[in-house]
């Protein structure tokens, strides 16, 4: 039996998504739930990163995951097996989530008292960056095989990120034209303030730093 | 001195993009120009694939390349150095190209008598698949590091493709959870008819088959 629900969400009819996103942030603060919006290209490693993150943090925080996909529920299956409460959101072809779609997903957790909800956004470096989901923080993953020039080509995604994870660092010997120095410099052109963490969701490299980033952010949010 | 132009295109005001795309196909047929729409995720290897393709075919066909990007002209620089006529299209934040935006780019080639024009679409597995650009054929690249489950998650992209290149096959030993059999089976779920070619733009593996695919399609188009 599947241990997750699948829901179809509809695009918001609200004209002012930014205002709605601010409303959702207030609602989440009232229930002390830290919402993280996780974005990346298709195949950058969002799901593998989440599985390892759940395993590291599930004894400290009550975690819920919303998997947003155009179709399929392969990720929801993987995530629910890792032990987090999971909702699969189908976007009906939409390339991003807005605040109201995110709220529709959150409702499915019902009365559960979650500390951390991660929205795994649709794999796309363009559109998700344009829509505030109501999240407290935006995280993005850039994987080494995608190349170190991506901050030049997809500026908004890097601008809106509070933290950038550079994933698949175990493959740096294979992708030897990827320069860690260049990617940091190019991210800094777009965003002087975000945190940048080099990780490998496969080997676990860098995950202690990433888990500490989350611990610090969640605690700061819940203590305000 | 730069050997390419940069133009800013505007989203079409036409409500019927499909009709406009059909018009553009007729215009292209009248001048015997084969337009290929090349789509993929960010970092799947569109530009590297194009550089190798240009080198293989530039003595047989007059080739023009339109690089569509939200920002930057790093790809146009690379492509123009490979010896193709190059136009850099800036989409002004748009996540895809429609037929009229494509036409705005094509105009910049002016009176040049091109056999093959490749539109390198914005790196995105979602939105570009929804808009007919007026191309004669759609090609898409899926790279091995992205994973073999992508046809499950991004169905429309695989449905509209006439040919799927599976790129970065030289990294199959590193990404050993990527199954060639599974990816073919999943592409076939979405599209029973497209051609599927395994390539490596880095090593050249599979490029004779890809060049032959293009030769066959261009000649068939020009002979009609």
């Amino acid at each position: 039996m599947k241990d997750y629900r699948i829901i179809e969400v509809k695009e918001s009819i609200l004209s002012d998504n930014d205002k709605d996103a601010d409303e959702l942030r207030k609602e989440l603060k009232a229930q002390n739930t830290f919402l993280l919006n996780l974005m990346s290209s298709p195949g950058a490693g969002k799901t593998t990163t989440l599985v390892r993150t759940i395993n590291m943090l599930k004894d400290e925080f009550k975690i819920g995951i919303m998997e947003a996909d155009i179709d399929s529920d392969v990720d929801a299956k993987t995530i629910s097996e890792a032990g987090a409460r999971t909702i699969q959101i189908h976007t009906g072809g939409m390339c991003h989530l807005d605040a109201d779609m995110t709220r529709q997903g959150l409702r499915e957790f019902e009365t559960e008292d979650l500390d951390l909800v991660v929205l795994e956004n649709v794999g796309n470096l363009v559109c998700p960056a344009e829509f505030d989901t109501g999240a407290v923080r935006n995280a993005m993953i850039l994987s080494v095989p995608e190349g170190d020039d991506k901050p030049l080509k997809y500026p908004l995604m890097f601008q809106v990120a509070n933290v950038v994870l550079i994933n698949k660092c175990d493959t740096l010997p294979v992708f030897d034209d990827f320069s860690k120095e260049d990617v940091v410099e190019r991210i800094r052109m777009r965003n002087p303030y975000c945190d940048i963490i080099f990780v490998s969701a496969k080997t676990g490299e860098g995950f202690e730093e990433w888990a500490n980033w989350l611990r610090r952010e969640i605690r700061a949010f819940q203590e305000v």
Side-chain angles (χ1 to χ4, degrees), chain A residues 137-150:
Chain A
R137 290 288 182 269
N138 290 323
M140 76 151 292
I141 302 178
L142 172 69
S143 64
V144 166
E146 293 172 70
D148 56 22
D149 59 351
K150 293 301 160 290

Side-chain angles (χ1 to χ4, degrees), chain A residues 97-164:
Chain A
L97 263 78
D98 61 20
D100 193 61
M101 293 161 90
T102 304
R103 185 186 281 110
Q104 291 169 53
L106 284 164
R107 259 188 220 126
E108 297 295 313
F109 289 118
E110 289 173 354
T111 55
E112 298 180 63
D113 191 20
L114 299 169
D115 299 301
L116 167 65
V117 172
V118 184
L119 168 61
E120 184 180 329
N121 215 313
V122 178
N124 182 334
L125 279 195
V126 187
C127 319
E130 295 170 16
F131 293 85
D132 190 339
T133 58
V136 181
R137 290 288 182 269
N138 290 323
M140 76 151 292
I141 302 178
L142 172 69
S143 64
V144 166
E146 293 172 70
D148 56 22
D149 59 351
K150 293 301 160 290
L152 301 176
K153 295 185 182 174
Y154 302 92
L156 190 63
M157 180 58 74
F158 290 87
Q159 278 169 36
V160 302
N162 301 106
V163 59
V164 177

Side-chain angles (χ1 to χ4, degrees), chain A residues 161-176:
Chain A
N162 301 106
V163 59
V164 177
L165 302 182
I166 313 282
N167 191 24
K168 306 193 190 180
C169 281
D170 56 297
T171 68
L172 277 166
V174 179
F175 297 94
D176 53 8

Side-chain angles (χ1 to χ4, degrees), chain A residues 32-81:
Chain A
N32 244 356
T33 300
F34 182 93
L35 176 63
L36 182 77
N37 176 26
L38 180 61
M39 299 177 283
S40 81
S41 292
K46 291 186 293 301
T47 308
T48 317
T49 295
L50 280 179
V51 168
R52 193 175 276 278
T53 306
I54 293 163
N55 283 325
M56 289 179 84
L57 296 179
K58 69 184 172 188
D59 296 335
E60 296 167 58
F61 301 107
K62 284 194 195 165
I63 304 176
I65 308 284
M66 295 192 292
E67 289 290 326
D69 275 296
I70 289 165
D71 203 353
S72 99
D73 57 346
V74 286
D75 291 343
K77 192 166 180 302
T78 309
I79 292 288
S80 69
E81 285 165 3

